[in-house]
Amino acid sequence: MVSFIAAGLLLTALSVASIENIPSKHGKAPSSAQDRSLAAASCKCYPGDACWPTATEWSSLNTTVGGRLVATVPLAAACHDDQWARYDNTTCTALQNSWVDPETHYLSSSSVMAPFFANQSCDPFLPESAQCVIGTYIQYAINVTSADDVSAGIQFATKYNIRLVVRNTGHDYNGKSTGSGTLGLWLHHLKGISISDWSDSHYTGKAIKLGAGVQGSEAYEAADAAGLQVVGGECPTVGIAGGYTQGGGHSALASKHGLAADQTLEWEVVTGTGKHLVANRQSNTDLYWALSGGGGGTYGVVLSMTSKAHLDTATSAMNMTIFASDTTQDAYYEAIEYFHSTLPAIVDSGAMAVWIFTNTSFLISPITAPDVPVADLKTYLAPFETKLNELNITFTSYYAQFDSYLNSFNAMFSPIEVSIAQYGGRLIPRSVVENNNTALTQAYRDINNLGGQFIGVGVNVSKAVVGDVYNAVNPGWRDAVIHTVITTPWSFEAPWSEMLANQRLMTNEMLPKLAALTPNGSAYLNEADFRQPDWKSVFYGTNYDDLLAVKNKYDPNHLFYAVTAVGSDHWTVEDDGTGKMCLA
Ligand SMILES: Cc1cc2nc3c(=O)[nH]c(=O)nc-3n(C[C@H](O)[C@H](O)[C@H](O)COP(=O)(O)OP(=O)(O)OC[C@H]3O[C@@H](n4cnc5c(N)ncnc54)[C@H](O)[C@@H]3O)c2cc1C
Ligand SMILES: *[C@@H]1O[C@H](CO)[C@@H](O)[C@H](O)[C@H]1NC(C)=O
Ligand SMILES: *[C@@H]1O[C@H](CO)[C@@H](O)[C@H](O)[C@H]1NC(C)=O
Ligand SMILES: *[C@@H]1O[C@H](CO)[C@@H](O)[C@H](O)[C@H]1NC(C)=O
Ligand SMILES: *[C@@H]1O[C@H](CO)[C@@H](O)[C@H](O)[C@H]1NC(C)=O
Ligand SMILES: *[C@@H]1O[C@H](CO)[C@@H](O)[C@H](O)[C@H]1NC(C)=O
Ligand SMILES: *[C@@H]1O[C@H](CO)[C@@H](O)[C@H](O)[C@H]1NC(C)=O
Ligand SMILES: *[C@@H]1O[C@H](CO)[C@@H](O)[C@H](O)[C@H]1NC(C)=O
Ligand SMILES: *[C@@H]1O[C@H](CO)[C@@H](O)[C@H](O)[C@H]1NC(C)=O
Ligand SMILES: *[C@@H]1O[C@H](CO)[C@@H](O)[C@H](O)[C@H]1NC(C)=O
Ligand SMILES: *[C@@H]1O[C@H](CO)[C@@H](O)[C@H](O)[C@H]1NC(C)=O
């Protein structure tokens, strides 16, 4: 809302009468021809506006893309009485039972995993009578099979002034892969995988080319079959070449091989003007640089990515559980503080840690140590286990060594549920853990007591990168030892106002406690607060201005928009990214 008001203010020069006619959340679309042209110039065209394409025009696009235009039918249409379906208890109950599985959503051309950005429309947990409209879901998707399909979508969206969004799995936490009145370019079915040898002055070794729709587990299986390991998310269904690698991408291999964006060799892209090109270290190098860590959904549409692949290694791993009920809160947080102090040695060995805690339980789930014998991994954890014994805290730990990365991954990572949280994040420099660990632990403790659940990702991505890298990864990653993720629980049944209150808590209370310890600090743009103040420097560091220059070069009309993406302040969008979009 605030941003929409700002758009109105910037248009005051055009005349008060016109402003009143700008399509708004509460108002009607403009009616006279003069108002229509104003709306077309300043705002995107929306369903119901006179400028919205006719059925015949959509049908013509459908023909151009070989019949692969999909009109959105919201995934949970059967949970309500609406234009698509009557309420159907069996279908709806099945959807409720599987709603937290990523699979339920990524097979859909329009569903959104992050519930806030679905705006309670066609929500399977709300009563039959609750609203089910397209709302913030995309209106149509092109089920892309080729660069031509993408170019056709770009031309159509440009001609009719329609908002465009790039969509892969729909995992994005910050609503980047949806938006109202939108045509989606849906890349899920680009599933090609091929392995080759690569040699240039920057890298010599194995490479893997992944279609934009390839998901983690598909790449891990293909790499494993070739005796290789590739960098991809801890969640096996996150897409690799989409928002994940373009945003940086951490993984269980991060301390061994670096971030996902450190692996990229080449991108195949369609730009904002519909040009199909290749970006690598030799040509379109500025675009190569930006796509490798500078954020998804804003420079161009990636059709495929070629990345380094590494020889597979034996991999050891461990997990552990502690309960606060075993001891006092002080002793419990003393244990957690001690664990954090052991992280530098753990990550320097090439291991990566994931741990989760509230003020009642602490879980390491897991630490993955590629190419580290399990006996060594036990040595790295021994001081922590000794400390727990000294504190009389009982714990359950499990250690194992696997003959491949894939076997370790499959045994140690549990499926990740979606749609159940809101997110915030901060990268914690190693110096803070080394010099101010007590204050850091106190901040985490205060955040836990405010209702924040903490997820830690322990990495060292400042070393061990094969070949030289040239990319737009937020420099804050290079000093970080903990990527902190804070979540507040999502409830479908609770009043919406409580979910908004949790957002305010995140922005105004929780994250400032970490910002105070990390002045001029950073956050990982894919797992952070979409209301982050100073997001340009926090998400992109010193790279922002150069990234914006790349954006302006390859998408001069600002066709691509995503919440907090580089260049996103060209537009103002009501309802925090999902609503109507007008020029800023
Ligand atoms: C359960 C879960 C686990 C996660 N685990 C990890 C993890 O281990 N490590 C990690 O680093 N992150 C992780 N993430 C965060 C993840 O990196 C982001 O959600 C990321 O945006 C997902 O990318 P996607 O392409 O799969 O999703 P989408 O939501 O489809 O897209 C995300 C963004 O990328 C853009 N985009 C997608 N495809 C393309 C393309 N082909 N060309 C151009 N732009 C594109 C979209 O426009 C959008 O802006 C996790 C998220 C979830 C929900
Ligand atoms: C596009 O054409 C195909 C094949 O004729 C059809 O099945 C599909 O419903 C059409 N899409 C839209 C949005 O009309
Ligand atoms: C749906 O079916 C379940 C049993 O399968 C029943 O318990 C529930 O009350 C039904 N809900 C509605 C709204 O009819
Ligand atoms: C999208 O296209 C793929 C083939 O590339 C096809 O298998 C799938 O059914 C299509 N999905 C939809 C919703 O049209
Ligand atoms: C742990 O238990 C031992 C034996 O009961 C006791 O001597 C010691 O003080 C306890 N330590 C703490 C930190 O509670
Ligand atoms: C640790 O991993 C083992 C093996 O996968 C699993 O059986 C166990 O439940 C895990 N424990 C925890 C605390 O995650
Ligand atoms: C633990 O955190 C919850 C919020 O999640 C809070 O209500 C509770 O008071 C905290 N417990 C303690 C002992 O501080
Ligand atoms: C990463 O490891 C290298 C080598 O051990 C070390 O010099 C560097 O300080 C570490 N960086 C971080 C951020 O942990
Ligand atoms: C540790 O953090 C506190 C609280 O923010 C701050 O006042 C102090 O200066 C920090 N100490 C160091 C050594 O950075
Ligand atoms: C903030 O960090 C940037 C580099 O990331 C640096 O140029 C700038 O001087 C820093 N500002 C302060 C106040 O530390
Ligand atoms: C979100 O839903 C509310 C009604 O619950 C509606 O007024 C608002 O327009 C919706 N926002 C968007 C962007 O569709």
Side-chain angles (χ1 to χ4, degrees):
M1 278 315 290
V2 170
S3 56
F4 185 67
I5 291 164
L9 292 175
L10 287 168
L11 287 163
T12 45
L14 293 169
S15 95
V16 173
S18 305
I19 295 163
E20 287 167 356
N21 282 324
I22 290 170
S24 83
K25 181 171 173 173
H26 309 292
K28 295 185 193 66
S31 49
S32 77
Q34 189 198 349
D35 291 337
R36 258 201 306 281
S37 67
L38 172 67
S42 60
C43 296
K44 291 288 178 182
C45 183
Y46 284 89
D49 293 350
C51 51
W52 189 252
T54 62
T56 311
E57 287 162 337
W58 283 110
S59 172
S60 148
L61 174 62
N62 197 9
T63 304
T64 309
V65 298
R68 285 186 301 277
L69 185 69
V70 183
T72 291
V73 175
L75 187 55
C79 295
H80 308 278
D81 298 308
D82 49 62
Q83 66 180 99
W84 303 279
R86 303 278 312 160
Y87 173 81
D88 172 46
N89 194 357
T90 310
T91 308
C92 187
T93 305
L95 281 164
Q96 287 171 349
N97 292 338
S98 63
W99 202 251
V100 300
D101 302 336
E103 288 74 5
T104 302
H105 304 274
Y106 68 66
L107 297 172
S108 146
S109 60
S110 61
S111 191
V112 176
M113 294 188 201
F116 174 72
F117 299 97
N119 196 33
Q120 288 190 309
S121 184
C122 313
D123 183 324
F125 299 97
L126 291 181
E128 180 180 343
S129 59
Q131 70 162 354
C132 182
V133 294
I134 292 190
T136 64
Y137 300 114
I138 63 173
Q139 292 278 334
Y140 291 91
I142 298 177
N143 186 0
V144 169
T145 58
S146 68
D148 287 345
D149 291 345
V150 172
S151 295
I154 285 172
Q155 277 166 30
F156 189 86
T158 305
K159 178 174 176 189
Y160 292 100
N161 188 29
I162 289 172
R163 182 169 171 189
L164 190 74
V165 76
V166 190
R167 234 186 109 73
N168 183 15
T169 61
H171 267 91
D172 197 83
Y173 291 123
N174 288 348
K176 287 184 171 183
S177 41
T178 194
S180 65
T182 298
L183 170 64
L185 299 172
W186 184 38
L187 299 152
H188 175 72
H189 290 282
L190 293 181
K191 291 289 192 183
I193 301 181
S194 61
I195 291 169
S196 63
D197 293 300
W198 187 279
S199 182
D200 67 14
S201 56
H202 307 286
Y203 171 75
T204 298
K206 290 288 178 185
I208 187 164
K209 182 175 179 179
L210 303 170
V214 173
Q215 291 166 281
S217 58
E218 295 162 339
Y220 308 152
E221 300 278 351
D224 182 77
L228 302 171
Q229 55 190 212
V230 294
V231 169
E234 289 107 79
C235 172
T237 62
V238 168
I240 296 196
Y244 169 80
T245 296
Q246 291 175 47
H250 62 77
S251 76
L253 296 171
S255 302
K256 174 90 178 147
H257 301 307
L259 293 170
D262 295 330
Q263 316 304 315
T264 62
L265 298 166
E266 185 164 283
W267 300 95
E268 187 190 357
V269 193
V270 177
T271 67
T273 52
K275 281 204 197 86
H276 182 193
L277 49 79
V278 163
N280 55 32
R281 293 292 284 271
Q282 284 76 42
S283 49
N284 301 305
T285 307
D286 50 357
L287 182 58
Y288 164 88
W289 174 81
L291 287 169
S292 304
T298 194
Y299 311 103
V301 182
V302 166
L303 295 172
S304 74
M305 171 186 88
T306 306
S307 275
K308 297 166 194 167
H310 307 275
L311 293 182
D312 200 11
T313 58
T315 300
S316 62
M318 65 83 61
N319 62 25
M320 179 190 274
T321 317
I322 296 169
F323 294 102
S325 54
D326 261 15
T327 184
T328 62
Q329 284 281 299
D330 283 346
Y332 175 73
Y333 280 99
E334 188 179 338
I336 291 173
E337 179 175 340
Y338 191 86
F339 175 69
H340 290 154
S341 76
T342 67
L343 280 170
I346 292 172
V347 298
D348 285 2
S349 78
M352 181 270 199
V354 178
W355 66 106
I356 300 169
F357 63 87
T358 61
N359 61 16
T360 58
S361 64
F362 171 92
L363 195 71
I364 299 178
S365 65
I367 292 177
T368 306
D371 211 13
V372 174
V374 70
D376 292 8
L377 181 60
K378 283 183 179 157
T379 309
Y380 293 122
L381 270 299
F384 181 45
E385 296 203 350
T386 302
K387 180 74 175 181
L388 292 172
N389 287 329
E390 280 168 19
L391 290 168
N392 294 334
I393 297 176
T394 51
F395 59 89
T396 314
S397 62
Y398 171 90
Y399 291 83
Q401 183 163 322
F402 303 88
D403 60 359
S404 68
Y405 175 64
L406 182 63
N407 285 342
S408 175
F409 185 92
N410 287 340
M412 301 301 291
F413 282 96
S414 354
I416 302 179
E417 295 184 338
V418 297
S419 305
I420 49 169
Q422 300 196 86
Y423 289 76
R426 193 84 180 175
L427 293 167
I428 308 298
R430 184 174 176 133
S431 60
V432 171
V433 173
E434 285 174 344
N435 305 326
N436 219 352
N437 199 16
T438 303
L440 179 66
T441 306
Q442 185 62 47
Y444 286 153
R445 184 173 173 173
D446 293 344
I447 291 168
N448 275 165
N449 291 341
L450 284 169
Q453 171 169 315
F454 175 93
I455 305 169
V457 173
V459 290
N460 178 337
V461 295
S462 70
K463 62 172 182 82
V465 173
V466 182
D468 68 311
V469 302
Y470 177 64
N471 63 42
V473 166
N474 185 342
W477 269 108
R478 305 305 180 189
D479 308 319
V481 74
I482 304 175
H483 158 43
T484 298
V485 182
I486 301 166
T487 66
T488 55
W490 183 269
S491 161
F492 289 92
E493 282 86 11
W496 192 246
S497 57
E498 277 181 30
M499 300 300 104
L500 298 181
N502 279 346
Q503 290 179 354
R504 285 194 294 275
L505 201 59
M506 181 70 72
T507 309
N508 302 335
E509 310 265 346
M510 295 180 178
L511 291 174
K513 292 185 192 301
L514 297 180
L517 290 166
T518 57
N520 201 17
S522 308
Y524 175 33
L525 63 92
N526 276 339
E527 296 176 318
D529 178 10
F530 72 97
R531 297 183 197 273
Q532 173 67 52
D534 304 325
W535 58 269
K536 291 182 183 178
S537 62
V538 173
F539 292 173
Y540 303 94
T542 45
N543 292 329
Y544 191 84
D545 291 345
D546 291 341
L547 285 168
L548 184 60
V550 176
K551 160 77 174 173
N552 289 334
K553 177 174 168 188
Y554 290 94
D555 180 24
N557 304 323
H558 282 254
L559 195 61
F560 305 121
Y561 166 89
V563 184
T564 70
V566 167
S568 54
D569 59 349
H570 183 80
W571 301 100
T572 55
V573 185
E574 66 173 307
D575 291 339
D576 304 304
T578 47
K580 286 194 175 175
M581 188 158 123
C582 298
L583 282 175

